[in-house]
Amino acid sequence: MNIQFLGGAREVGRSAILVNDSLLLDYGMLTGNPPQYPVGDVDPDAVVVTHGHLDHVGLLPSLLSRDDWPPIHWTPPTYELTRLLARDTLKLHGGSYDCPFTGAEIKRLTQVSEPHGYREPFEAAGHEITFFNAGHIPGSAHVLVDDGETRLLYTGDFHTGDQRLLSGTTARPDADIVLCESTYSDVDRGDRAATERQFAESVETTVWEGGTVVVPAFAIGRTQEMLMVCEAHDIDCYVDGMGTQVTRMLRQQSEFVRDPDALQRAVSNARFVTGKNGQRKRIARKNTVIVTTSGMLTGGPAMTYIPEIRANPVNKIAMTGYQVEGTPGRDLLEHGRGEIDGRVMPVSAQVESYDFSAHADRDGLLSFLDSYRDAAVLVNHGDRCDAFAEELGADGYDADAPELGSRYEIAGDGATTRV
Ligand SMILES: [Zn+2]
């Protein structure tokens, strides 16, 4: 087997791995200004996709601009999320470098789509492929690739811990080589239940004091998780932004969530915002909780809510995930001011941050990899891939951190050579 790293190597974003020059695993973009795309020109026979986040699926429609369209294999939620994200990219950036595909190519996704469930082996470009639940977002999968000689396990993004929306990954299929994400390889996260309690108490306090709480949340996974947290703690809330569409979609894909009844209760507990007729400004004046995109305050209905609530120190902004450097969310946390909708605004409202991450932390990564002490390990998708690979090496693993564009030859027993 040979593997080439076209993206996501020693970086987060634009994941793309080519196996045996024929099978493409993920095809994402690195969002930013300007966005970055995987390196090289790729013309795969088939594509297999781990999960519906932009950094893994953002560029898929661009593979459908030629005459021969490769089939795309994924779980049903990943298909739905990819279409949703592609339509959003087209709406925001259509006709510019930031959107290297058109509406016609988005429509073709449906024609090439090959949906599969977990643990149902299928064939793609001459390889046997099996998906296993990765516990990251609904539909997320570890991908096992068997070319008849070598078994490669590509973890994709995964979580070993339980969330309300999803159970953590328990699948540890046999493999000769593991390509493992390492996003939070230096983070030791506290107890999830304690984080949830602190969040709930803080939000309730603000509501009792007569304030408004804005909860910025990523559309996929996090919005639904926060609705479930609110319901579990008897907190009434509104929900707004792209997360409302994802929530509706997930109700049709109930076998991909941990507890469909709990999700249904959370949906019933939340009031869905349409945004018509100044509804958002009216809600922002209410003594309530608003779960809304975007998670890092880079856009979405949060751009309406934050200016409305920012001046009153009784109000609160409760972040629910990691804030990338340079985003308004990060600036608000660190400096109490941030650029909201093109205007730098000071914020008197309280700003707090809670770690509801959907990725394994250091302990989670190590416990996962403990099942693969006899396999070769290649580390990708992280800011410190090389450091983590070195730490694994010191712990007895055969580990390496591929560089962008690099190519590896893997023997049947997992022996790995960079070529
Ligand atoms: Zn992800």
Side-chain angles (χ1 to χ4, degrees), residues 67-147:
D67 292 338
D68 54 332
W69 307 336
I72 302 181
H73 301 267
W74 41 22
T75 63
T78 302
Y79 162 66
E80 297 288 351
L81 293 169
T82 300
R83 287 201 311 163
L84 188 68
L85 290 170
R87 288 196 294 256
D88 189 55
T89 302
L90 185 72
K91 193 171 100 189
L92 292 172
H93 306 294
S96 76
Y97 171 84
D98 292 13
C99 180
F101 51 80
T102 65
E105 284 130 26
I106 297 175
K107 285 205 184 90
R108 286 175 198 153
L109 289 172
T110 305
Q111 288 163 266
V112 301
S113 172
E114 304 264 354
H116 307 276
Y118 297 132
R119 297 175 185 266
E120 295 170 3
F122 59 92
E123 189 270 340
H127 302 75
E128 187 184 90
I129 312 288
T130 315
F131 287 147
F132 297 88
N133 188 351
H136 172 59
I137 59 169
S140 64
H142 305 299
V143 177
L144 184 67
V145 180
D146 189 340
D147 69 356

Side-chain angles (χ1 to χ4, degrees), residues 76-214:
T78 302
Y79 162 66
E80 297 288 351
L81 293 169
T82 300
R83 287 201 311 163
L84 188 68
L85 290 170
R87 288 196 294 256
D88 189 55
T89 302
L90 185 72
K91 193 171 100 189
L92 292 172
H93 306 294
S96 76
Y97 171 84
D98 292 13
C99 180
F101 51 80
T102 65
E105 284 130 26
I106 297 175
K107 285 205 184 90
R108 286 175 198 153
L109 289 172
T110 305
Q111 288 163 266
V112 301
S113 172
E114 304 264 354
H116 307 276
Y118 297 132
R119 297 175 185 266
E120 295 170 3
F122 59 92
E123 189 270 340
H127 302 75
E128 187 184 90
I129 312 288
T130 315
F131 287 147
F132 297 88
N133 188 351
H136 172 59
I137 59 169
S140 64
H142 305 299
V143 177
L144 184 67
V145 180
D146 189 340
D147 69 356
E149 288 181 357
T150 309
R151 293 161 303 174
L152 162 73
L153 179 66
Y154 172 37
T155 65
D157 295 357
F158 66 93
H159 198 1
T160 46
D162 289 342
Q163 308 174 65
R164 286 190 180 269
L165 183 63
L166 297 170
S167 302
T169 166
T170 53
R172 305 290 183 268
D174 285 344
D176 307 300
I177 175 161
V178 178
L179 173 53
C180 186
E181 71 123 321
S182 63
T183 319
Y184 292 115
S185 67
D186 60 346
V187 172
D188 285 313
R189 207 171 288 127
D191 173 32
R192 176 85 167 208
T195 303
E196 192 180 301
R197 268 197 312 276
Q198 286 160 8
F199 169 84
E201 279 168 20
S202 173
V203 165
E204 281 165 346
T205 303
T206 299
V207 173
W208 285 331
E209 289 173 355
T212 310
V213 185
V214 173

